[in-house]
Amino acid sequence: MPKHLPTHLNPRSPLVLDTRELPRRPGVLRTVARTAPAPADLGLELIGVPEGAELSLDLRLESVSEGVLVSGTVTGPVKGECGRCLRPITDSLVVPIQELYAYEHSTTVETTEEDEVGRMQGDLIDLEPVLRDAVVLALPTNPVCREDCPGLCPECGVQWDELPADHSHQQVDSRWAGLSQLTRQEE
């Protein structure tokens, strides 16, 4: 028996799939293409999919002996900020997903831990956990606006791209100030 009772799924939710039309015979498959709004907090600190953004789901549902194998791709927009210079980043991502959802009362449900495979609730499949795992793992932990982004000047905080080539915050130690005057006299 599961450790906690799952919440009941809403069959009208865009991230819930109804498998009633998919016969429970191994080898039978059905394709599903739909768009769904992105759930809240789908991302990391610096980058993620904006809440409500349109996600395109291109999925294949295949009956197997112990459940339904869901595989396919999720495509959606990504917004965030560069981890080096804090410029805004907009991009898109395509993430593959694949998850086995075990039938209720199947051998798989009885022989696996609760978090090893997805669980069906009757004929319903909740895609949000597998979608969240796939998208968050595909996002960079330290996103950059471009690979050669120089970042910010650590002294003044201005983007290096906007500063002149000779920009510096050279601080002379007062004990060596006399020597710096000597080099200026030689020039």
Side-chain angles (χ1 to χ4, degrees), residues 2-3 102 107-119:
K3 295 176 187 169
T107 306
T108 301
V109 168
E110 296 169 9
T111 60
T112 59
E113 294 294 322
E114 194 168 341
D115 59 351
E116 285 184 74
V117 296
R119 308 281 199 234

Side-chain angles (χ1 to χ4, degrees), residues 9 32 61 63-65 75 95 100 103 107 128 140 143 167 171:
L9 297 176
V32 174
L61 283 62
S63 284
V64 294
S65 60
T75 307
V95 180
L100 172 64
Y103 295 131
T107 306
E128 186 173 340
H167 175 76
Q171 295 178 355

Side-chain angles (χ1 to χ4, degrees), residues 146-165:
R146 63 180 203 267
E147 287 301 316
D148 63 341
C149 175
L152 303 173
C153 172
E155 297 295 323
C156 63
V158 175
Q159 295 172 350
W160 278 113
D161 289 345
E162 297 175 2
L163 294 171

Side-chain angles (χ1 to χ4, degrees), residues 4-28:
H4 61 83
L5 294 173
T7 59
H8 291 287
L9 297 176
N10 178 359
R12 292 190 177 122
S13 171
L15 292 176
V16 173
L17 298 176
D18 189 343
T19 64
R20 281 182 284 185
E21 295 178 17
L22 182 69
R24 291 189 176 196
R25 288 190 320 267
V28 177

